[in-house]
Amino acid sequence: MQEYRFSEIESKWQHYWDEHGTFRAENGSKKPKFYALVEFPYPSGHGMHVGHIKAYSSLEVVSRKRRLQGYNVLFPIGFDAYGLPTENTAIKTGVHPRQVTDENIKKFTSQLKRVGFSFDWSRVVDTTEEDYYKWTQWIFLQMFEHGLVFRDKTSVNYCPSCKVVLSNEDSQGGKCDVCHSEIVQKEKEVWYLRITEYADRLLQGLETVDYLPNIKLQQQNWIGKSTGAFVNFKIAEQDEELRIYTTRPDTLYGVTFMVMAPEHPMIEKYRAQIANMDALDAYRAECAKKTEFERTQLVKDKTGVRIEGLTAINPLTGKQIPIYVADYVMMGYGTGAIMAVPAHDTRDYEFAKKFGIDIIEVIKGGDISKEAYTGDGEMVNSGELNGITNKKDAIEKVLKVLAAKGCGEAGVQYKMKDWAFNRQRYWGEPIPLVHCPHCGIVAVPYEELPLRLPPVENYEPGTDGESPLAKVESFVKCKCPKCGGDARRETDTMPQWAGSSWYFLRYCDPHNPDALASMDALKYWLPVDWYNGGMEHVTRHMIYSRFWHKFLYDIGAVPTDEPYAKRTAQGLILGSDGEKMSKSKGNVVDPNDVVDQYGADVLRLYVLFMGDYEKAAPWSDSSVKGCKRFVDRIWALQDMVIDGDSYRPAVQTVMHKTIRKVTEDIESLKFNTAIAQMMTLVNELYATGGINKAELRTLLILLYPFAPHITSEIFEQQGFGILSDAQWVEYDPALCVESEVEIVVQLCGKIKAKIMIPQGADEAKAVEIAMADPKVQEALAGKTVRKQIYVQNKLLNFVAN
RNA sequence: GCUGCUGUGGCGAAAUUGGCAGACGCAAGAGACUUAAAAUCUCUCGGUGGAUACACCGUACCGGUUCAAGUCCGGUCAGCAGCACCA
């Protein structure tokens, strides 16, 4: 046997697959289709991370297996290449982001190829290429035409370091997602996509798809649907109504004050009529200074100021109620104002205690002198609601009363907000809209797409939150497509999430010049059968892309309502210190190093063998060696090959068991146990002193999805042909069990003996054999068996005393 | 604070979903081969006692259900993740 020179063998097979187009997916093939999708990478300058390898390895294994099972598999890859790090490199070095991107993509491509992933390289997409972002802009314009794009001046999340407006999703926890600086609030005109219009459908759609339960749950929480009521409170001093949203209309009799958000428009409207406007202005200025983080996290104490000159009237009791301004009420949720029921809401309770406001109990069951009671109970002090004992009935009743008086109705609210859809950055898709002094906002005509990024001298954004594009007169100045007069282009670009919201559609038909993809191709491939990626993308990327997809479905551009039939997520690879890998900690593992030292097959095996695929696991250099040893033992099997075209009796059971376990475990992401079973098989083969041709052939096929290079090489050398053309192997369930099995004999649940009985023996037979065993006889001596439990092929338990 | 998940050897983990706890791998120890080391091969490897057979204990902690609990139920503690004044 020759030496195992993995780098030669691996590059030989990578070239073979490339030249033969082994992994090309065929549109419209008669074979059953399987569309496996992994999250395309952002091509950063640092190259790939072992985390990428783990993320792609699962569906890589599934894809290779499915091809051997006769499927037409689409397993594509691409690059989500717009984004800040590339632009920041450009700012630092002056190199054009296009060039930076191209270099990074080249680097990623070579790394991916070295690992031997079976991607269809003829379908690569790059979100920054003209014939791709043309269609991103096209979708945006379709949304614009359908009223899903709007402009609004609101307080936005602004990162002072990146000088950019961020969506809520990009500024979770009050920190910028990219540079982790504190986010501040800033008034700005921004573009929004009306994703809230799809909130209910995004929620309902979850019932029709096969996502892991925790993924569904996170999406549900993100959408955050609540049901309740809108109630209008008349203002005593003015001909005006204050509209509020509440989930507890049943507590309406317990309202003792109202609260408006500091930004509530009614404050400005009645500026002249409010007696203490100075105090209010001072308070509001203080709130505006606070970052979102301070406002929601640090401040435990309730603050606020009463509005003097405006009083609300409880629509049910006619009682006058004071109104406060307080920053514990947010303008962005509900109506920006609430009715406060301190007896039954913990926040209102704190506020009332601090400001000495009345607390009126309307639900019995708690002790409101100590804390708010949020549970269920009998209604009291509540007029017509008195005596009702459950929340549901009380709400039903109060809604009827409100409807009769015309001052309120049932309603739903979502936590999810509309999607702030622009960045003041260069390296993104230009927003194809024009500001015309006569016609207003006008869409760039479809024929003019793509609207290209112009060259700029300086990629640095303006300090006032303006895009670098604003400085390019030749880009900004244009003619209005409607009236032909002088107009100005929108200079903001789209956020990074735009291109990734539809990339899986382009894969189906990546070179189509006339549509984002042909309907035929989409009908053939959609939905994506299995999508794997990180947990960090299940609320943002996945909700955005589901939203776009549903919109495209509504306008007839795609054939399915939901894009992804199934979604799973891999766990992180931690550094060997158990911490998250990061450059600053110096615990990052470069996949190239592993490939250099041990080969791609070892890397692939290790990332799947290291633990539960869905859980985080620390990297261990020495454990990688275990996989290396396994691969070496596979290579060494070539010296032990004997003739034989069927499994030898001594290993027949373990062969069938292994086929079954590997076949099943791959489908349920249990790669670690699939590999363990193959190791067990190899150990047993070594113990028999050899392996015959039939056994070797089967073993190579089972191992091929994990370690395709070494298995392809041995397969060829043994004269079995080209492994990627082979068929997956079958098992016989009847042969997965030995003819004799060991069972445990227990006395009252304690193990007393182990006996061999024929496989599938009935209870009488098992008892007969057990009774003949001296240890069993000893254990049962002098005892009366009152009951016996027999589990076939497992155990026999005597209950005796 | 709310929601969800997880707690098993020195380490990464298995356990057909209530039926032999610790498969497989790493690390460690002993032996073989070697001038030697590496590599490879063989054996040991949860704890306590015992020379061995073996016995007892053991899946975060306390309690319960059951012939039988890592698995189910109730409570406690710890860790992780997501959301976070959502009215």
PDB file of all heavy atoms in Angstrom, chain A residues 55 57-59 62 212 530-532 566-570 608 611-614 664-674, chain B residues 14:
ATOM      1  N   ALA A  55     -21.173  25.049   9.802  1.00  0.00           N
ATOM      2  CA  ALA A  55     -22.488  25.469   9.306  1.00  0.00           C
ATOM      3  C   ALA A  55     -22.828  24.819   7.972  1.00  0.00           C
ATOM      4  O   ALA A  55     -23.981  24.508   7.699  1.00  0.00           O
ATOM      5  CB  ALA A  55     -22.527  26.992   9.173  1.00  0.00           C
ATOM      6  N   SER A  57     -21.328  21.952   6.770  1.00  0.00           N
ATOM      7  CA  SER A  57     -21.056  20.515   6.710  1.00  0.00           C
ATOM      8  C   SER A  57     -22.309  19.662   6.836  1.00  0.00           C
ATOM      9  O   SER A  57     -22.370  18.576   6.263  1.00  0.00           O
ATOM     10  CB  SER A  57     -20.059  20.117   7.805  1.00  0.00           C
ATOM     11  OG  SER A  57     -18.790  20.634   7.480  1.00  0.00           O
ATOM     12  N   SER A  58     -23.293  20.130   7.571  1.00  0.00           N
ATOM     13  CA  SER A  58     -24.484  19.308   7.775  1.00  0.00           C
ATOM     14  C   SER A  58     -25.200  19.047   6.458  1.00  0.00           C
ATOM     15  O   SER A  58     -25.422  17.902   6.072  1.00  0.00           O
ATOM     16  CB  SER A  58     -25.437  19.978   8.762  1.00  0.00           C
ATOM     17  OG  SER A  58     -25.684  21.310   8.374  1.00  0.00           O
ATOM     18  N   LEU A  59     -25.529  20.126   5.744  1.00  0.00           N
ATOM     19  CA  LEU A  59     -26.260  19.907   4.494  1.00  0.00           C
ATOM     20  C   LEU A  59     -25.340  19.394   3.394  1.00  0.00           C
ATOM     21  O   LEU A  59     -25.808  18.788   2.429  1.00  0.00           O
ATOM     22  CB  LEU A  59     -26.996  21.185   4.073  1.00  0.00           C
ATOM     23  CG  LEU A  59     -28.159  21.552   5.008  1.00  0.00           C
ATOM     24  CD1 LEU A  59     -28.954  22.722   4.462  1.00  0.00           C
ATOM     25  CD2 LEU A  59     -29.087  20.364   5.240  1.00  0.00           C
ATOM     26  N   VAL A  62     -25.810  15.770   3.935  1.00  0.00           N
ATOM     27  CA  VAL A  62     -27.141  15.382   3.466  1.00  0.00           C
ATOM     28  C   VAL A  62     -27.175  15.401   1.932  1.00  0.00           C
ATOM     29  O   VAL A  62     -27.694  14.485   1.292  1.00  0.00           O
ATOM     30  CB  VAL A  62     -28.220  16.316   4.051  1.00  0.00           C
ATOM     31  CG1 VAL A  62     -29.578  16.017   3.433  1.00  0.00           C
ATOM     32  CG2 VAL A  62     -28.286  16.188   5.571  1.00  0.00           C
ATOM     33  N   LEU A 212     -37.298  24.157  13.705  1.00  0.00           N
ATOM     34  CA  LEU A 212     -37.092  23.693  15.073  1.00  0.00           C
ATOM     35  C   LEU A 212     -37.963  24.538  16.000  1.00  0.00           C
ATOM     36  O   LEU A 212     -38.124  25.734  15.771  1.00  0.00           O
ATOM     37  CB  LEU A 212     -35.626  23.846  15.474  1.00  0.00           C
ATOM     38  CG  LEU A 212     -34.625  22.929  14.786  1.00  0.00           C
ATOM     39  CD1 LEU A 212     -33.212  23.264  15.256  1.00  0.00           C
ATOM     40  CD2 LEU A 212     -34.924  21.479  15.090  1.00  0.00           C
ATOM     41  N   TRP A 530     -34.596  22.322   2.798  1.00  0.00           N
ATOM     42  CA  TRP A 530     -33.939  22.308   4.100  1.00  0.00           C
ATOM     43  C   TRP A 530     -32.964  23.477   4.143  1.00  0.00           C
ATOM     44  O   TRP A 530     -32.114  23.592   3.266  1.00  0.00           O
ATOM     45  CB  TRP A 530     -33.216  20.968   4.299  1.00  0.00           C
ATOM     46  CG  TRP A 530     -32.721  20.703   5.680  1.00  0.00           C
ATOM     47  CD1 TRP A 530     -32.512  21.608   6.677  1.00  0.00           C
ATOM     48  CD2 TRP A 530     -32.353  19.432   6.219  1.00  0.00           C
ATOM     49  NE1 TRP A 530     -32.049  20.987   7.807  1.00  0.00           N
ATOM     50  CE2 TRP A 530     -31.938  19.646   7.549  1.00  0.00           C
ATOM     51  CE3 TRP A 530     -32.330  18.135   5.706  1.00  0.00           C
ATOM     52  CZ2 TRP A 530     -31.503  18.605   8.368  1.00  0.00           C
ATOM     53  CZ3 TRP A 530     -31.896  17.110   6.526  1.00  0.00           C
ATOM     54  CH2 TRP A 530     -31.496  17.338   7.854  1.00  0.00           C
ATOM     55  N   TYR A 531     -33.130  24.328   5.122  1.00  0.00           N
ATOM     56  CA  TYR A 531     -32.291  25.515   5.266  1.00  0.00           C
ATOM     57  C   TYR A 531     -31.589  25.414   6.615  1.00  0.00           C
ATOM     58  O   TYR A 531     -32.236  25.250   7.645  1.00  0.00           O
ATOM     59  CB  TYR A 531     -33.189  26.759   5.235  1.00  0.00           C
ATOM     60  CG  TYR A 531     -32.479  28.102   5.135  1.00  0.00           C
ATOM     61  CD1 TYR A 531     -31.136  28.198   4.788  1.00  0.00           C
ATOM     62  CD2 TYR A 531     -33.181  29.279   5.364  1.00  0.00           C
ATOM     63  CE1 TYR A 531     -30.522  29.439   4.680  1.00  0.00           C
ATOM     64  CE2 TYR A 531     -32.567  30.519   5.258  1.00  0.00           C
ATOM     65  CZ  TYR A 531     -31.231  30.592   4.913  1.00  0.00           C
ATOM     66  OH  TYR A 531     -30.629  31.812   4.807  1.00  0.00           O
ATOM     67  N   ASN A 532     -30.271  25.486   6.586  1.00  0.00           N
ATOM     68  CA  ASN A 532     -29.532  25.462   7.854  1.00  0.00           C
ATOM     69  C   ASN A 532     -28.713  26.733   8.001  1.00  0.00           C
ATOM     70  O   ASN A 532     -28.167  27.248   7.032  1.00  0.00           O
ATOM     71  CB  ASN A 532     -28.596  24.253   7.920  1.00  0.00           C
ATOM     72  CG  ASN A 532     -27.910  24.154   9.273  1.00  0.00           C
ATOM     73  OD1 ASN A 532     -28.546  23.835  10.277  1.00  0.00           O
ATOM     74  ND2 ASN A 532     -26.635  24.482   9.320  1.00  0.00           N
ATOM     75  N   LYS A 566     -38.145  23.791   5.793  1.00  0.00           N
ATOM     76  CA  LYS A 566     -37.553  23.254   7.021  1.00  0.00           C
ATOM     77  C   LYS A 566     -36.356  24.109   7.390  1.00  0.00           C
ATOM     78  O   LYS A 566     -35.602  24.525   6.521  1.00  0.00           O
ATOM     79  CB  LYS A 566     -37.120  21.810   6.765  1.00  0.00           C
ATOM     80  CG  LYS A 566     -36.362  21.171   7.896  1.00  0.00           C
ATOM     81  CD  LYS A 566     -36.100  19.705   7.587  1.00  0.00           C
ATOM     82  CE  LYS A 566     -35.318  19.043   8.714  1.00  0.00           C
ATOM     83  NZ  LYS A 566     -35.220  17.604   8.539  1.00  0.00           N
ATOM     84  N   ARG A 567     -36.193  24.359   8.690  1.00  0.00           N
ATOM     85  CA  ARG A 567     -35.042  25.156   9.120  1.00  0.00           C
ATOM     86  C   ARG A 567     -34.421  24.547  10.367  1.00  0.00           C
ATOM     87  O   ARG A 567     -35.118  24.233  11.330  1.00  0.00           O
ATOM     88  CB  ARG A 567     -35.473  26.588   9.419  1.00  0.00           C
ATOM     89  CG  ARG A 567     -34.462  27.436  10.169  1.00  0.00           C
ATOM     90  CD  ARG A 567     -33.308  27.913   9.319  1.00  0.00           C
ATOM     91  NE  ARG A 567     -32.320  28.609  10.132  1.00  0.00           N
ATOM     92  CZ  ARG A 567     -31.435  29.501   9.677  1.00  0.00           C
ATOM     93  NH1 ARG A 567     -31.419  29.804   8.389  1.00  0.00           N
ATOM     94  NH2 ARG A 567     -30.582  30.070  10.482  1.00  0.00           N
ATOM     95  N   THR A 568     -33.104  24.388  10.314  1.00  0.00           N
ATOM     96  CA  THR A 568     -32.359  23.914  11.480  1.00  0.00           C
ATOM     97  C   THR A 568     -31.230  24.905  11.752  1.00  0.00           C
ATOM     98  O   THR A 568     -30.984  25.795  10.948  1.00  0.00           O
ATOM     99  CB  THR A 568     -31.767  22.518  11.218  1.00  0.00           C
ATOM    100  OG1 THR A 568     -31.004  22.575  10.016  1.00  0.00           O
ATOM    101  CG2 THR A 568     -32.850  21.471  11.087  1.00  0.00           C
ATOM    102  N   ALA A 569     -30.574  24.742  12.875  1.00  0.00           N
ATOM    103  CA  ALA A 569     -29.486  25.651  13.220  1.00  0.00           C
ATOM    104  C   ALA A 569     -28.358  24.904  13.907  1.00  0.00           C
ATOM    105  O   ALA A 569     -28.598  24.031  14.743  1.00  0.00           O
ATOM    106  CB  ALA A 569     -29.999  26.770  14.123  1.00  0.00           C
ATOM    107  N   GLN A 570     -27.129  25.264  13.550  1.00  0.00           N
ATOM    108  CA  GLN A 570     -25.974  24.623  14.180  1.00  0.00           C
ATOM    109  C   GLN A 570     -25.573  25.389  15.433  1.00  0.00           C
ATOM    110  O   GLN A 570     -25.851  26.569  15.565  1.00  0.00           O
ATOM    111  CB  GLN A 570     -24.782  24.563  13.217  1.00  0.00           C
ATOM    112  CG  GLN A 570     -24.054  25.888  12.997  1.00  0.00           C
ATOM    113  CD  GLN A 570     -24.727  26.799  11.974  1.00  0.00           C
ATOM    114  OE1 GLN A 570     -25.695  26.406  11.344  1.00  0.00           O
ATOM    115  NE2 GLN A 570     -24.218  28.007  11.816  1.00  0.00           N
ATOM    116  N   LEU A 608     -18.095  17.580  12.713  1.00  0.00           N
ATOM    117  CA  LEU A 608     -19.373  16.893  12.911  1.00  0.00           C
ATOM    118  C   LEU A 608     -19.330  15.902  14.069  1.00  0.00           C
ATOM    119  O   LEU A 608     -20.352  15.555  14.645  1.00  0.00           O
ATOM    120  CB  LEU A 608     -19.786  16.179  11.622  1.00  0.00           C
ATOM    121  CG  LEU A 608     -20.096  17.124  10.467  1.00  0.00           C
ATOM    122  CD1 LEU A 608     -20.403  16.333   9.203  1.00  0.00           C
ATOM    123  CD2 LEU A 608     -21.268  18.038  10.801  1.00  0.00           C
ATOM    124  N   GLY A 611     -19.455  16.905  18.775  1.00  0.00           N
ATOM    125  CA  GLY A 611     -20.534  16.957  19.761  1.00  0.00           C
ATOM    126  C   GLY A 611     -21.880  17.064  19.079  1.00  0.00           C
ATOM    127  O   GLY A 611     -21.976  16.916  17.865  1.00  0.00           O
ATOM    128  N   ASP A 612     -22.892  17.303  19.860  1.00  0.00           N
ATOM    129  CA  ASP A 612     -24.245  17.504  19.352  1.00  0.00           C
ATOM    130  C   ASP A 612     -24.221  18.669  18.361  1.00  0.00           C
ATOM    131  O   ASP A 612     -23.803  19.769  18.708  1.00  0.00           O
ATOM    132  CB  ASP A 612     -25.158  17.830  20.546  1.00  0.00           C
ATOM    133  CG  ASP A 612     -26.620  17.971  20.138  1.00  0.00           C
ATOM    134  OD1 ASP A 612     -26.894  18.314  18.965  1.00  0.00           O
ATOM    135  OD2 ASP A 612     -27.488  17.746  20.986  1.00  0.00           O
ATOM    136  N   TYR A 613     -24.653  18.427  17.133  1.00  0.00           N
ATOM    137  CA  TYR A 613     -24.553  19.436  16.082  1.00  0.00           C
ATOM    138  C   TYR A 613     -25.252  20.745  16.452  1.00  0.00           C
ATOM    139  O   TYR A 613     -24.806  21.829  16.087  1.00  0.00           O
ATOM    140  CB  TYR A 613     -25.150  18.894  14.779  1.00  0.00           C
ATOM    141  CG  TYR A 613     -24.951  19.846  13.615  1.00  0.00           C
ATOM    142  CD1 TYR A 613     -23.689  20.036  13.067  1.00  0.00           C
ATOM    143  CD2 TYR A 613     -26.020  20.573  13.092  1.00  0.00           C
ATOM    144  CE1 TYR A 613     -23.491  20.921  12.022  1.00  0.00           C
ATOM    145  CE2 TYR A 613     -25.830  21.451  12.043  1.00  0.00           C
ATOM    146  CZ  TYR A 613     -24.561  21.623  11.509  1.00  0.00           C
ATOM    147  OH  TYR A 613     -24.374  22.518  10.485  1.00  0.00           O
ATOM    148  N   GLU A 614     -26.328  20.648  17.209  1.00  0.00           N
ATOM    149  CA  GLU A 614     -27.101  21.856  17.502  1.00  0.00           C
ATOM    150  C   GLU A 614     -26.604  22.597  18.740  1.00  0.00           C
ATOM    151  O   GLU A 614     -27.111  23.661  19.067  1.00  0.00           O
ATOM    152  CB  GLU A 614     -28.579  21.489  17.685  1.00  0.00           C
ATOM    153  CG  GLU A 614     -29.189  20.953  16.403  1.00  0.00           C
ATOM    154  CD  GLU A 614     -30.577  20.403  16.621  1.00  0.00           C
ATOM    155  OE1 GLU A 614     -31.388  21.116  17.226  1.00  0.00           O
ATOM    156  OE2 GLU A 614     -30.851  19.263  16.202  1.00  0.00           O
ATOM    157  N   GLU A 664     -30.103   6.838   9.043  1.00  0.00           N
ATOM    158  CA  GLU A 664     -31.099   7.565   9.843  1.00  0.00           C
ATOM    159  C   GLU A 664     -30.506   8.794  10.533  1.00  0.00           C
ATOM    160  O   GLU A 664     -31.130   9.854  10.571  1.00  0.00           O
ATOM    161  CB  GLU A 664     -31.699   6.631  10.899  1.00  0.00           C
ATOM    162  CG  GLU A 664     -32.639   5.604  10.281  1.00  0.00           C
ATOM    163  CD  GLU A 664     -33.119   4.569  11.295  1.00  0.00           C
ATOM    164  OE1 GLU A 664     -32.657   4.609  12.453  1.00  0.00           O
ATOM    165  OE2 GLU A 664     -33.959   3.729  10.904  1.00  0.00           O
ATOM    166  N   ASP A 665     -29.316   8.641  11.099  1.00  0.00           N
ATOM    167  CA  ASP A 665     -28.740   9.741  11.880  1.00  0.00           C
ATOM    168  C   ASP A 665     -28.435  10.980  11.035  1.00  0.00           C
ATOM    169  O   ASP A 665     -28.554  12.097  11.517  1.00  0.00           O
ATOM    170  CB  ASP A 665     -27.478   9.272  12.607  1.00  0.00           C
ATOM    171  CG  ASP A 665     -27.803   8.424  13.838  1.00  0.00           C
ATOM    172  OD1 ASP A 665     -29.008   8.215  14.093  1.00  0.00           O
ATOM    173  OD2 ASP A 665     -26.872   7.972  14.522  1.00  0.00           O
ATOM    174  N   ILE A 666     -28.047  10.767   9.795  1.00  0.00           N
ATOM    175  CA  ILE A 666     -27.759  11.923   8.937  1.00  0.00           C
ATOM    176  C   ILE A 666     -29.002  12.790   8.810  1.00  0.00           C
ATOM    177  O   ILE A 666     -28.929  14.015   8.843  1.00  0.00           O
ATOM    178  CB  ILE A 666     -27.276  11.459   7.542  1.00  0.00           C
ATOM    179  CG1 ILE A 666     -25.842  10.929   7.634  1.00  0.00           C
ATOM    180  CG2 ILE A 666     -27.351  12.597   6.521  1.00  0.00           C
ATOM    181  CD1 ILE A 666     -25.300  10.349   6.343  1.00  0.00           C
ATOM    182  N   GLU A 667     -30.150  12.157   8.703  1.00  0.00           N
ATOM    183  CA  GLU A 667     -31.388  12.922   8.509  1.00  0.00           C
ATOM    184  C   GLU A 667     -31.800  13.690   9.752  1.00  0.00           C
ATOM    185  O   GLU A 667     -32.545  14.662   9.664  1.00  0.00           O
ATOM    186  CB  GLU A 667     -32.529  11.981   8.095  1.00  0.00           C
ATOM    187  CG  GLU A 667     -32.303  11.306   6.752  1.00  0.00           C
ATOM    188  CD  GLU A 667     -32.093  12.290   5.618  1.00  0.00           C
ATOM    189  OE1 GLU A 667     -32.776  13.333   5.578  1.00  0.00           O
ATOM    190  OE2 GLU A 667     -31.217  12.011   4.762  1.00  0.00           O
ATOM    191  N   SER A 668     -31.342  13.262  10.940  1.00  0.00           N
ATOM    192  CA  SER A 668     -31.755  13.974  12.144  1.00  0.00           C
ATOM    193  C   SER A 668     -30.588  14.736  12.773  1.00  0.00           C
ATOM    194  O   SER A 668     -30.593  15.017  13.960  1.00  0.00           O
ATOM    195  CB  SER A 668     -32.388  13.001  13.145  1.00  0.00           C
ATOM    196  OG  SER A 668     -31.601  11.850  13.268  1.00  0.00           O
ATOM    197  N   LEU A 669     -29.615  15.099  11.955  1.00  0.00           N
ATOM    198  CA  LEU A 669     -28.479  15.929  12.374  1.00  0.00           C
ATOM    199  C   LEU A 669     -27.620  15.272  13.465  1.00  0.00           C
ATOM    200  O   LEU A 669     -26.895  15.953  14.172  1.00  0.00           O
ATOM    201  CB  LEU A 669     -28.946  17.299  12.899  1.00  0.00           C
ATOM    202  CG  LEU A 669     -29.636  18.263  11.933  1.00  0.00           C
ATOM    203  CD1 LEU A 669     -30.142  19.485  12.690  1.00  0.00           C
ATOM    204  CD2 LEU A 669     -28.691  18.695  10.828  1.00  0.00           C
ATOM    205  N   LYS A 670     -27.714  13.911  13.576  1.00  0.00           N
ATOM    206  CA  LYS A 670     -26.912  13.252  14.609  1.00  0.00           C
ATOM    207  C   LYS A 670     -25.646  12.676  13.989  1.00  0.00           C
ATOM    208  O   LYS A 670     -25.414  11.470  14.009  1.00  0.00           O
ATOM    209  CB  LYS A 670     -27.750  12.167  15.299  1.00  0.00           C
ATOM    210  CG  LYS A 670     -28.815  12.796  16.213  1.00  0.00           C
ATOM    211  CD  LYS A 670     -29.977  11.886  16.430  1.00  0.00           C
ATOM    212  CE  LYS A 670     -29.760  10.919  17.547  1.00  0.00           C
ATOM    213  NZ  LYS A 670     -30.959  10.068  17.752  1.00  0.00           N
ATOM    214  N   PHE A 671     -24.845  13.598  13.475  1.00  0.00           N
ATOM    215  CA  PHE A 671     -23.629  13.177  12.763  1.00  0.00           C
ATOM    216  C   PHE A 671     -22.624  12.526  13.709  1.00  0.00           C
ATOM    217  O   PHE A 671     -21.892  11.643  13.320  1.00  0.00           O
ATOM    218  CB  PHE A 671     -22.998  14.384  12.073  1.00  0.00           C
ATOM    219  CG  PHE A 671     -23.963  15.119  11.198  1.00  0.00           C
ATOM    220  CD1 PHE A 671     -24.460  16.356  11.576  1.00  0.00           C
ATOM    221  CD2 PHE A 671     -24.407  14.562  10.011  1.00  0.00           C
ATOM    222  CE1 PHE A 671     -25.368  17.022  10.778  1.00  0.00           C
ATOM    223  CE2 PHE A 671     -25.320  15.224   9.203  1.00  0.00           C
ATOM    224  CZ  PHE A 671     -25.802  16.462   9.593  1.00  0.00           C
ATOM    225  N   ASN A 672     -22.598  13.011  14.958  1.00  0.00           N
ATOM    226  CA  ASN A 672     -21.632  12.474  15.913  1.00  0.00           C
ATOM    227  C   ASN A 672     -21.852  10.985  16.150  1.00  0.00           C
ATOM    228  O   ASN A 672     -20.900  10.214  16.187  1.00  0.00           O
ATOM    229  CB  ASN A 672     -21.668  13.264  17.232  1.00  0.00           C
ATOM    230  CG  ASN A 672     -23.068  13.412  17.800  1.00  0.00           C
ATOM    231  OD1 ASN A 672     -24.060  13.252  17.085  1.00  0.00           O
ATOM    232  ND2 ASN A 672     -23.172  13.694  19.084  1.00  0.00           N
ATOM    233  N   THR A 673     -23.096  10.576  16.266  1.00  0.00           N
ATOM    234  CA  THR A 673     -23.340   9.153  16.522  1.00  0.00           C
ATOM    235  C   THR A 673     -23.203   8.327  15.241  1.00  0.00           C
ATOM    236  O   THR A 673     -22.832   7.158  15.296  1.00  0.00           O
ATOM    237  CB  THR A 673     -24.720   8.929  17.168  1.00  0.00           C
ATOM    238  OG1 THR A 673     -25.716   9.614  16.396  1.00  0.00           O
ATOM    239  CG2 THR A 673     -24.746   9.445  18.591  1.00  0.00           C
ATOM    240  N   ALA A 674     -23.478   8.957  14.104  1.00  0.00           N
ATOM    241  CA  ALA A 674     -23.268   8.243  12.838  1.00  0.00           C
ATOM    242  C   ALA A 674     -21.785   7.914  12.694  1.00  0.00           C
ATOM    243  O   ALA A 674     -21.415   6.788  12.351  1.00  0.00           O
ATOM    244  CB  ALA A 674     -23.748   9.097  11.664  1.00  0.00           C
TER     245      ALA A 674
ATOM    246  P     A B  14     -24.442  13.952  22.589  1.00  0.00           P
ATOM    247  OP1   A B  14     -24.987  14.513  21.352  1.00  0.00           O
ATOM    248  OP2   A B  14     -25.157  14.079  23.864  1.00  0.00           O
ATOM    249  O5'   A B  14     -24.176  12.423  22.297  1.00  0.00           O
ATOM    250  C5'   A B  14     -24.852  11.510  23.055  1.00  0.00           C
ATOM    251  C4'   A B  14     -24.530  10.147  22.593  1.00  0.00           C
ATOM    252  O4'   A B  14     -23.436   9.660  23.411  1.00  0.00           O
ATOM    253  C3'   A B  14     -25.710   9.233  22.867  1.00  0.00           C
ATOM    254  O3'   A B  14     -26.491   9.126  21.712  1.00  0.00           O
ATOM    255  C2'   A B  14     -25.041   7.924  23.285  1.00  0.00           C
ATOM    256  O2'   A B  14     -24.621   7.187  22.154  1.00  0.00           O
ATOM    257  C1'   A B  14     -23.807   8.441  24.018  1.00  0.00           C
ATOM    258  N9    A B  14     -23.991   8.701  25.451  1.00  0.00           N
ATOM    259  C8    A B  14     -23.900   9.890  26.121  1.00  0.00           C
ATOM    260  N7    A B  14     -24.047   9.789  27.424  1.00  0.00           N
ATOM    261  C5    A B  14     -24.245   8.437  27.620  1.00  0.00           C
ATOM    262  C6    A B  14     -24.460   7.664  28.772  1.00  0.00           C
ATOM    263  N6    A B  14     -24.496   8.174  30.001  1.00  0.00           N
ATOM    264  N1    A B  14     -24.638   6.337  28.614  1.00  0.00           N
ATOM    265  C2    A B  14     -24.604   5.815  27.392  1.00  0.00           C
ATOM    266  N3    A B  14     -24.397   6.432  26.228  1.00  0.00           N
ATOM    267  C4    A B  14     -24.223   7.749  26.416  1.00  0.00           C
TER     268        A B  14
END
